[in-house]
Amino acid sequence: MPIKIPSGLPARDILDSERIFALEKPEAERQRVRPLKLVILNLMPKKVETETQLLRLISKSPLQVEIDFMKTSTHESTHVSADHLVKFYENFDAFQDNYYDGFVVTGAPVEHLDFEQVDYWDEFKKILDWASTHVFSTMYLCWGAMGALNYRYNVRKEDLPEKIFGVFPQYLQDEYCFLTNGFDEICLQPHSRLAGVNEGDVARNPELQVLTWGPKSGPGLIATRDFSEVFALGHWEYGKYTLAEEYERDMKKGMTNVPFPENYFPHDDSQLEPVFAWRAHANLLWRNWLNWVYQTTPYDLSEVPQLRAQKRLGTDRSIRHQPGSPRVDAFAPFVRDGYGVIHS
């Protein structure tokens, strides 16, 4: 939440430079407050599990948030009851005239396929076109992030010879970015994917910035300069046991390109409780994102198309700069700690 300070306070410039929302009295008195409106496009097979994970994170914010759920019409879900979908979900057609503060697009277990092979790819692109004019800020997760980066910014998806699977160190790239404000210099992020993105394509696009990066996992968090689109290539939303359940599922399928989850079970012993080592940064990212949206979205959501067309998202005092580079020294964190949890 923003802090209210006396007009002309010298600390204001410093707070602005550190991406801390501070309102002087005239600004505070002009503020109009309403609940945030979010819509979630849930592409994951286990709808209820993903709903719970996302709502758990969203609920940690002190803000009041209204949530709608969207589903595709070109793909039939088989891991959830038809009654659940009818009761809680609407197809895209029901949302076309709506405006939202935030939009969440989940991942999907289709990253091994070419985009054109995904049965809802055309509908996915249509939804992204709608979001580009009807949503203030969108958070894409895993395959959703890969698909959006490809369609919106021509960032190529790259297949991996082996699934990147486990919990991996990510280096903070920008200490005072609004989205990662408060992050430790090294944070941990779960990854579970058979593909990644071409880092050269990301680096060459001036609209994109890498916010966290890992030596094995590559970019973990990417965003546009105005935060209208945020791309999380890992799964900060995952619960404590999600990776264990995925590993058991993949082993039952007889998959041979899935390694034992790294940095997850103490001493790599699956009989021990996994370590929930990413929860704090997950909560912080989602709080920061919701706070950014809350502080900068228009009170009248019908203004969103004009703001996006004029590239006037965010605040007048937002500061944009190149993110810092990954570490260039020989420091390799957590080669092996005493607990036996993390290695790079």
Side-chain angles (χ1 to χ4, degrees):
M1 299 294 285
I3 55 175
K4 182 179 174 182
I5 60 175
S7 298
L9 191 71
R12 170 64 180 270
D13 291 340
I14 298 174
L15 295 174
D16 283 349
S17 71
E18 295 181 6
R19 317 303 203 282
I20 295 171
F21 286 106
L23 298 180
E24 296 181 3
K25 185 176 180 181
E27 296 172 289
E29 291 175 346
R30 287 194 299 268
Q31 269 203 331
R32 292 186 291 172
V33 179
R34 59 165 175 76
L36 288 180
K37 294 188 65 177
L38 261 64
V39 58
I40 297 173
L41 173 60
N42 190 352
L43 301 172
M44 292 295 280
K46 295 184 177 180
K47 304 291 188 207
V48 176
E49 180 180 348
T50 303
E51 292 162 15
T52 303
Q53 292 170 349
L54 293 175
L55 294 179
R56 184 182 292 125
L57 289 167
I58 293 169
S59 71
K60 297 296 177 24
S61 168
L63 304 172
Q64 186 179 121
V65 183
E66 297 176 358
I67 310 266
D68 291 329
F69 289 97
M70 182 190 296
K71 63 182 177 70
T72 59
S73 59
T74 45
H75 178 80
E76 182 178 351
S77 298
T78 58
H79 290 76
V80 65
S81 70
D83 179 67
H84 182 84
L85 293 175
V86 169
K87 188 174 182 179
F88 298 109
Y89 283 76
E90 296 280 359
N91 290 332
F92 169 60
D93 290 346
F95 296 93
Q96 292 192 68
D97 296 327
N98 296 355
Y99 297 95
Y100 288 91
D101 299 290
F103 184 29
V104 180
V105 179
T106 73
V110 294
E111 74 273 12
H112 59 291
L113 300 174
D114 292 337
F115 292 121
E116 291 74 16
Q117 292 179 295
V118 178
D119 55 6
Y120 48 81
W121 178 243
D122 288 338
E123 185 178 10
F124 180 82
K125 293 188 293 183
K126 185 178 179 181
I127 293 171
L128 264 57
D129 288 339
W130 165 83
S132 70
T133 57
H134 285 66
V135 176
F136 188 76
S137 182
T138 301
M139 174 85 76
Y140 302 97
L141 310 178
C142 200
W143 180 86
M146 297 180 208
L149 283 167
N150 179 265
Y151 177 59
R152 305 268 297 140
Y153 300 97
N154 296 313
V155 175
R156 288 166 290 177
K157 177 173 71 74
E158 295 187 335
D159 294 334
L160 302 174
E162 184 180 70
K163 187 175 186 178
I164 179 168
F165 191 47
V167 183
F168 299 92
Q170 296 268 307
Y171 300 168
L172 183 64
Q173 304 293 287
D174 185 348
E175 184 177 358
Y176 293 121
C177 170
F178 278 112
L179 292 181
T180 55
N181 202 328
F183 270 43
D184 295 323
E185 288 194 4
I186 296 174
C187 58
L188 301 176
Q189 185 183 35
H191 288 263
S192 176
R193 50 187 168 87
L194 287 160
V197 295
N198 185 290
E199 294 189 47
D201 290 347
V202 175
R204 283 186 291 271
N205 194 313
E207 293 188 58
L208 301 174
Q209 55 182 327
V210 175
L211 302 181
T212 68
W213 179 90
K216 184 165 185 177
S217 55
L221 187 65
I222 301 169
T224 56
R225 297 286 170 177
D226 60 3
F227 305 129
S228 61
E229 293 176 290
V230 182
F231 311 91
L233 289 167
H235 286 285
W236 267 309
E237 79 279 5
Y238 269 12
K240 179 176 181 177
Y241 299 102
T242 308
L243 290 173
E245 292 165 357
E246 288 190 359
Y247 183 66
E248 182 179 359
R249 176 202 66 196
D250 291 347
M251 291 300 98
K252 287 181 178 178
K253 289 181 179 179
M255 296 179 66
T256 59
N257 60 345
V258 178
F260 187 80
E262 292 188 41
N263 310 322
Y264 181 55
F265 293 107
H267 308 294
D268 290 337
D269 185 348
S270 61
Q271 300 304 307
L272 299 177
E273 285 276 308
V275 178
F276 201 172
W278 61 92
R279 176 167 45 191
H281 284 97
N283 286 327
L284 186 53
L285 171 66
W286 282 78
R287 288 184 190 180
N288 285 348
W289 179 61
L290 289 171
N291 188 32
W292 165 260
V293 173
Y294 175 78
Q295 299 301 333
T296 57
T297 192
Y299 184 84
D300 183 353
L301 282 171
S302 66
E303 297 175 8
V304 167
Q306 182 178 358
L307 290 173
R308 294 203 63 155
Q310 298 174 349
K311 297 187 181 296
R312 291 196 296 115
L313 298 182
T315 62
D316 292 338
R317 63 181 185 275
S318 65
I319 301 171
R320 303 175 189 176
H321 58 80
Q322 293 291 332
S325 300
R327 295 187 71 108
V328 295
D329 56 25
F331 175 60
F334 311 128
V335 171
R336 176 65 68 180
D337 70 358
Y339 191 40
V341 178
I342 302 164
H343 51 87
S344 58

